[in-house]
Amino acid sequence: MKITIFSRLAIGYIIILSMVVFSSIYELYQLSKVNEVTRSVLEIDNRILDLQKKLTDSLLSLMRYEKKYIVLEDDSLHERFLLATADFKKDLQRTFSLKISPEVQQILKRVERFHAMYHSLVVEEFQNIKNKKSYDTKRYDLEKEDTINKVFDDLKKLEEFSRRDTYNKIKQLDIAVTDSYSVALVIIAATLLAGAVISVIITGNITRPLSVMKRKTHEIAKGHFDISLQHSSLPEMNELADAFNVMCMRLKQVDKMKSDFLSVMSHELRTPLASIQEGTNMMLEGIGGKITERQEKLLTIIAEEDKRLINLVNSILDLSKMEAGMMKYNFEQGDLIPLLRRTLIEITPIVKAKHIKFKGNFSDELPLVEMDREMITRVLRNLLGNAIKFTPNGGIIDVTVRRQDGWIEASISDTGPGIPEEDFETIFDKYKQVEFPGSDKKKGTGLGLSIVKHILTAHGGKVWVTSTLGAGSTFTFALPF
Ligand SMILES: Nc1ncnc2c1ncn2[C@@H]1O[C@H](COP(=O)(O)OP(=O)(O)OP(=O)(O)O)[C@@H](O)[C@H]1O
Ligand SMILES: [Mg+2]
């Protein structure tokens, strides 16, 4: 089953979201535990310590009043003793009312019991004093001391117990916090990692077919319609790929229709154009009778335009043949230099007319190459023709031929307007012409370089251009030897 982009994104987000929710729930649980322990320390252990201190203070006060009363027999001291005893009992009850452990409860019960024993001894002794009755003071003192010491011991135990309990709870808190810190770190790292992995996978899934499509679109822009996009795992992308493939097929059909049309038209035009050329030449030669000067001028223009049309038709037909792989080549071992020299002689009149300075740098000792002389001459004519056409009057054309690792490289440099870098490749496409500001780009048909490229490819060679805008261009072609 193929999963849609929407489902992939939804699943990815659900996974990341669940991890975040899980980690939040865990952290909340740990926080509630921390909260619970903190509250228990504050509300129970701290309170027990406070009350234990109060109990000790009350006990010391009531002992003090008891001792003073026995010496002074002052009723107000008796009353203060009773008040201190009431405070003690009240605080004891408060301690009982806290959420205390059974152990603390045991201690408190002992405190209550020993205090009660002490209290009844004091009450008895006070009674004896009030009734002026003689009694064994020493026995009372000993018994009181014994019971009160037990109360103090237990209060001490209560304090120790609370402190120990507080310490244990804080330790527990520390462990819980450390644990939750580690778990939180692991969860955060896992969430981030999962988020990154999921994002990379999902984004990759989406962008991969898109970048393939982008690449293929560039190919189409260059005029290559033989493209079909493979299906990916994304249904939406597959729909797009299908539409894209249909579009390529249609473009290919339209391109073929256009080429076929041009080829048929050119074929049909060739014969009448040749007849016109022949007729015009005959008339110019005076075969049809004497012509006036004005008629001669007109006939010359017709002859030139006709020649241009014949060249165009031939170029279109040749290019169609080359594209269809039907061009016939007559390969044989040959030397490039004589071809170059012959072409240079051909162009000398135009070079002179434009006052172009010509520089040549080629040795005569170059290896022979397998080539069709006619076709390579055509390449040279085209490249030199362009150099002359685009170089302004008084410019320089430099031709260099050298041998380079199994290749013979010929470069034709000019001081023309140059070619923008983005056109370095497309310039070899048919009908492609660069627009130069302020100049008429329609100086040709835009087929020359395309034919050059086809010829060199058929020779196993290559052609490229380097250029600096405003300074000139260098067209280089290479043939293997
Ligand atoms: N030496 C050069 N300097 C500057 N631009 C050039 C040069 N050679 C070619 N170009 C650019 O490349 C375009 C294509 O060249 P190409 O030879 O294919 O066509 P063309 O010269 O316009 O016509 P054709 O050669 O078919 O008569 C030219 O129109 C021009 O814009
Ligand atoms: Mg040209």
Side-chain angles (χ1 to χ4, degrees):
M1 190 190 71
K2 292 199 169 168
I3 309 170
T4 60
I5 297 177
F6 174 78
S7 314
R8 279 168 201 239
L9 285 173
I11 292 169
Y13 285 131
I14 287 171
I15 292 174
I16 297 170
L17 215 67
S18 349
M19 290 181 84
V20 172
V21 168
F22 170 74
S23 71
S24 308
I25 290 174
Y26 175 78
E27 288 309 317
L28 280 177
Y29 168 70
Q30 287 296 73
L31 261 181
S32 75
K33 255 170 68 177
V34 167
N35 197 19
E36 195 182 302
V37 176
T38 320
R39 193 170 296 153
S40 124
V41 168
L42 286 175
E43 290 180 359
I44 304 172
D45 297 287
N46 253 20
R47 283 287 290 146
I48 290 177
L49 279 175
D50 277 353
L51 288 165
Q52 181 269 351
K53 205 165 164 294
K54 276 190 179 171
L55 284 169
T56 312
D57 288 349
S58 313
L59 208 60
L60 286 170
S61 327
L62 65 87
M63 275 172 68
R64 223 173 24 248
Y65 292 130
E66 175 248 332
K67 287 211 164 69
K68 277 189 188 167
Y69 177 78
I70 291 168
V71 178
L72 301 172
E73 292 183 23
D74 181 348
D75 278 348
S76 70
L77 289 167
H78 183 208
E79 243 164 55
R80 285 193 183 179
F81 166 79
L82 289 175
L83 280 175
T85 305
D87 281 349
F88 180 85
K89 283 184 174 168
K90 213 159 62 199
D91 287 338
L92 197 60
Q93 284 319 307
R94 271 195 204 142
T95 320
F96 267 121
S97 69
L98 294 175
K99 260 196 191 167
I100 45 172
S101 64
E103 257 172 301
V104 174
Q105 207 149 15
Q106 286 279 291
I107 297 171
L108 288 177
K109 274 184 182 158
R110 274 208 308 275
V111 167
E112 193 178 31
R113 202 169 65 241
F114 289 124
H115 173 261
M117 279 163 71
Y118 164 80
H119 189 72
S120 56
L121 280 168
V122 173
V123 169
E124 259 177 49
E125 196 177 6
F126 281 9
Q127 207 60 49
N128 287 338
I129 291 169
K130 270 194 182 151
N131 297 337
K132 312 276 187 213
K133 207 170 141 191
S134 70
Y135 63 98
D136 186 354
T137 42
K138 229 181 194 134
R139 183 182 74 86
Y140 273 97
D141 282 348
L142 277 173
E143 278 185 23
K144 274 190 304 183
E145 201 182 327
D146 185 41
T147 49
I148 210 75
N149 278 346
K150 281 181 178 150
V151 175
F152 274 122
D153 281 352
D154 279 329
L155 285 178
K156 191 92 201 120
K157 269 187 205 153
L158 187 66
E159 186 191 355
E160 275 168 19
F161 187 86
S162 294
R163 289 200 191 283
R164 208 174 51 240
D165 199 38
T166 308
Y167 172 79
N168 285 339
K169 282 176 183 166
I170 287 175
K171 209 166 142 191
Q172 203 183 321
L173 212 65
D174 184 45
I175 293 170
V177 169
T178 314
D179 279 359
S180 79
Y181 182 71
S182 321
V183 172
L185 270 185
V186 170
I187 292 176
I188 288 170
T191 312
L192 285 179
L193 193 75
V197 170
I198 290 169
S199 309
V200 167
I201 292 175
I202 294 177
T203 325
N205 277 340
I206 298 168
T207 52
R208 222 171 296 123
L210 279 181
S211 66
V212 172
M213 209 170 277
K214 187 177 141 199
R215 216 175 46 238
K216 304 264 173 169
T217 316
H218 281 301
E219 298 268 302
I220 291 180
K222 285 182 191 164
H224 306 146
F225 307 121
D226 252 333
I227 285 168
S228 89
L229 279 180
Q230 302 292 317
H231 274 190
S232 74
S233 54
L234 298 172
E236 292 95 330
M237 287 295 167
N238 290 343
E239 278 175 34
L240 204 59
D242 287 340
F244 192 89
N245 290 342
V246 170
M247 180 188 77
C248 284
M249 204 183 70
R250 293 264 158 83
L251 280 172
K252 208 170 129 187
Q253 283 170 350
V254 171
D255 192 54
K256 190 171 178 304
M257 270 165 64
K258 184 198 74 188
S259 297
D260 289 351
F261 171 76
L262 277 176
S263 152
V264 170
M265 281 303 291
S266 308
H267 212 83
E268 293 300 318
L269 281 172
R270 207 145 64 164
T271 324
L273 283 174
S275 308
I276 294 172
Q277 190 183 37
E278 217 162 288
T280 331
N281 284 342
M282 278 164 72
M283 281 163 93
L284 275 171
E285 282 163 18
I287 293 172
K290 203 167 160 37
I291 52 168
T292 63
E293 205 175 307
R294 201 170 140 72
Q295 282 169 334
E296 190 185 332
K297 261 190 197 163
L298 285 170
L299 283 170
T300 313
I301 294 171
I302 293 172
E304 270 170 18
E305 289 300 309
D306 188 56
K307 197 175 159 207
R308 218 171 61 78
L309 274 176
I310 290 173
N311 282 341
L312 170 64
V313 165
N314 285 339
S315 292
I316 292 175
L317 280 174
D318 286 347
L319 198 60
S320 320
K321 269 198 218 161
M322 286 171 183
E323 281 175 342
M326 286 163 72
M327 187 56 130
K328 296 248 179 316
Y329 289 90
N330 192 8
F331 288 109
E332 52 190 2
Q333 290 280 319
D335 190 352
L336 185 66
I337 304 298
L339 301 186
L340 183 58
R341 287 192 192 285
R342 205 176 310 140
T343 319
L344 289 174
I345 293 168
E346 268 174 39
I347 58 166
T348 309
I350 326 171
V351 171
K352 281 203 174 134
K354 281 189 89 176
H355 304 290
I356 288 172
K357 197 169 160 214
F358 181 81
K359 286 191 198 167
N361 179 13
F362 36 91
S363 78
D364 287 293
E365 290 156 29
L366 285 171
L368 299 181
V369 283
E370 185 84 354
M371 62 179 173
D372 179 325
R373 285 164 207 266
E374 259 316 298
M375 291 296 184
I376 294 299
T377 307
R378 217 167 150 179
V379 166
L380 290 166
R381 271 190 202 128
N382 258 307
L383 294 179
L384 283 164
N386 280 349
I388 295 166
K389 187 159 64 173
F390 295 103
T391 301
N393 285 1
I396 303 168
I397 292 176
D398 190 349
V399 180
T400 308
V401 185
R402 60 188 169 275
R403 145 195 201 149
Q404 183 88 17
D405 310 325
W407 297 88
I408 289 186
E409 272 184 21
S411 296
I412 295 145
S413 305
D414 61 54
T415 52
I419 294 164
E421 202 175 331
E422 66 265 24
D423 293 328
F424 280 6
E425 278 204 32
T426 52
I427 201 82
F428 295 98
D429 294 344
K430 56 184 171 181
Y431 306 116
K432 172 76 188 178
Q433 290 182 306
V434 181
E435 237 167 307
F436 303 116
S439 87
D440 174 18
K441 74 165 188 170
K442 298 274 176 243
K443 277 184 173 178
T445 58
L447 294 175
L449 287 180
S450 184
I451 291 173
V452 164
K453 189 162 182 172
H454 273 289
I455 294 175
L456 287 164
T457 310
H459 279 73
K462 48 196 176 181
V463 59
W464 66 94
V465 63
T466 52
S467 172
T468 311
L469 266 184
S473 327
T474 301
F475 281 85
T476 307
F477 70 87
L479 287 168
F481 64 81

